[in-house]
Amino acid sequence: MEISLREVSFAYKVGDRPLPVLESINVRVAPGDFLAITGSGGSGKSTLAMLMAGLLEPVAGRVILDGKPVRGRGKGKTHSAWHKVGMVFQQPEQQLFAETVADDVAFGPGNLGFTGSELETRVEEALRAVGLDPQKIGGHSPFRLSGGQQRRVAIAGVLAMDPEVLILDEPTAGLDPAGREQVLGVIRSFYRRPGKAVVLISHNMAEVAAMARQVIVLYQGRVALQGTPREIFRQGEALKTYGLIPPPLTRLMQELQRRGAPVSPEIFTLAEARAAILAWLGA
Amino acid sequence: MIEVQGVTFFYPGTREPALENISLTIRPGEFLAITGPNGSGKSTLARLLNGLLRPGKGRVLVDGLDTADAASLVEIRRRVGMVFQDPDNQLVAATVEDDVAFGPENLGLPPAAVRQRVAAALEAVELADLKTRPPHRLSGGQKQRLALAGVLAMEPVYLVLDEATAMLDPVGREEVLKKVLALRREKGLAVILITHFMEEAALAERMLVLNEGRIILSGPPADVLQQEEGLAKAGLKAPAIVALGKSLRQAGVKLPASIVTVEEMARALWKLASGK
């Protein structure tokens, strides 16, 4: 599945005046891609995610799935390929509603027409994929779980629809570090499967650095920067204009470089930072 | 001074206490960080500090006023201001300035005094330019600063931030935190920061780690953040800079264990390199 947005603009209507949110956006996501979309609050990240998931329609430009221009989810008469695109909203646990974890996860694939043992298999696989034991937890009320577990149940509900592209809007926001790690693990193992692609909306820079292959920085509704995480974080302090701050180890290396140390400003991991500092101090 | 004395708290219908036998003293002007995993009791503790919740066992005294005493609650809540994660739940009025005026008006202050407090609070959070804007037309960071202004207009002695920056972008987070710490310096406001971000907790004078309703670690961040086992038990990890410091010390680099921030680390390494 390939999602492509060409010259897409979007505006909300406030009274009778348009409030522009996104302007002339070009994005493409193909199997094997891991795209992070980042930017300050109000830069248009969530709106872009909804357009990429077919939940909003652009006011200008085209949305193309596997080469075919399409309308939004549920719009128009033709059968659409949107069911291959899964979207995890911000704080998705707030939308859990069923009496049991298994019922909640079964809701999406049930709507796609799956029943019986096929539906059961999908639910069990999705729960296992998020690190929850369907036998142990499937019959529990979702409301008795911890915040991190609830969020993983909500993600399982999307995975149970077997998407090819998974779009997640701030999937770790508000979670504690252990919960964050678990959710990132779920995303990583989804991405490792052949033919899958991930779009991660996040303003957690350490997360973007560790996970994404490509990064888009939005600023006031336009693409301000685009590149690999290293290319993006190389900008250092300039990123502040866009509401962003490089991860701590990258900032450390940039600060040392600014003082005149011969170290690379494009370092993310502890191992890289350690090696660079030891090499510099040893020289 | 806020004194939490042997407090145990159960939510109705639960058998496990959300907090168990907590004792804690918070000094005026102090900067205290409270961290711990989801469900460890952090937010419960925050809500006990201003009487939003009352302890089942033990006492909470705010400058000598007992939160169990209904007659003291108005004064306690004026002294202990709270800002929560989701500012939308805290914003009530049609314009930014009306929103900030809400609290002082409820104190029964004369209009001139209300206006002066509103102006000062909006100035402090740098929202004076947007005072006629409807709150829902603000960005997330601006809304959070507005919620903060609403609390500041009550001229509190203690400010509790309960995950107040969790949903903000990095610059928004830094902005709110910087503002709060500047107010602490200028007005001697005590700051109680409840956070999942170890980098933020590391800036405090003292930090507590809660796990399953108990305080499992307590002390200056530089000490607490070295306690890998205790942190791991609470599902927490030392910030990247602390982990790097440890790793470099193990490789023989002579760095003090007290380093917790990027700036401190840069300075220490630079000193080492130029000292040779």
Side-chain angles (χ1 to χ4, degrees), chain B residues 19-48:
Chain B
L19 287 175
E20 197 172 355
N21 197 22
I22 301 284
S23 291
L24 166 72
T25 302
I26 303 168
R27 289 175 285 106
E30 179 171 8
F31 178 12
L32 172 70
I34 303 178
T35 82
N38 292 116
S40 59
K42 301 186 300 291
S43 291
T44 306
L45 180 55
R47 284 162 175 75
L48 283 158

Side-chain angles (χ1 to χ4, degrees), chain A residues 14 40-41 91 174-178 180 203 240 243-245 248 251-252 255 259 261 270 274 277-278 280-281 283, chain B residues 37-38 85 137 167-171 174 196 199 235-236 240 243-244 247 251 253 262 265-267 269-270 273 276:
Chain A
V14 181
S40 62
Q91 300 184 287
L175 295 184
D176 59 39
R180 241 180 272 163
H203 50 226
K240 278 202 171 180
L244 305 177
I245 298 173
R251 254 161 51 223
L252 174 67
E255 175 61 21
R259 289 172 184 245
L270 187 79
R274 180 178 187 270
I277 290 167
L278 290 178
W280 164 51
L281 291 178
Chain B
N38 292 116
Q85 179 173 319
R137 286 267 165 274
M167 305 307 285
L168 303 182
D169 62 57
V171 167
E174 198 183 69
H196 285 320
E199 267 86 14
L236 304 177
L244 174 67
S247 167
V253 180
V262 168
M265 182 61 91
R267 229 178 292 133
L269 285 172
W270 188 250
K276 273 190 316 205

Side-chain angles (χ1 to χ4, degrees), chain B residues 2 12 18 48 56 71 81 91 123 145 161 199 205 207 226 235 243 264:
Chain B
I2 301 181
L48 283 158
L91 305 178
E123 195 67 36
R145 280 187 284 145
L161 302 171
E199 267 86 14
E205 288 174 303
M207 72 182 276
Q226 301 295 325
E264 289 165 0

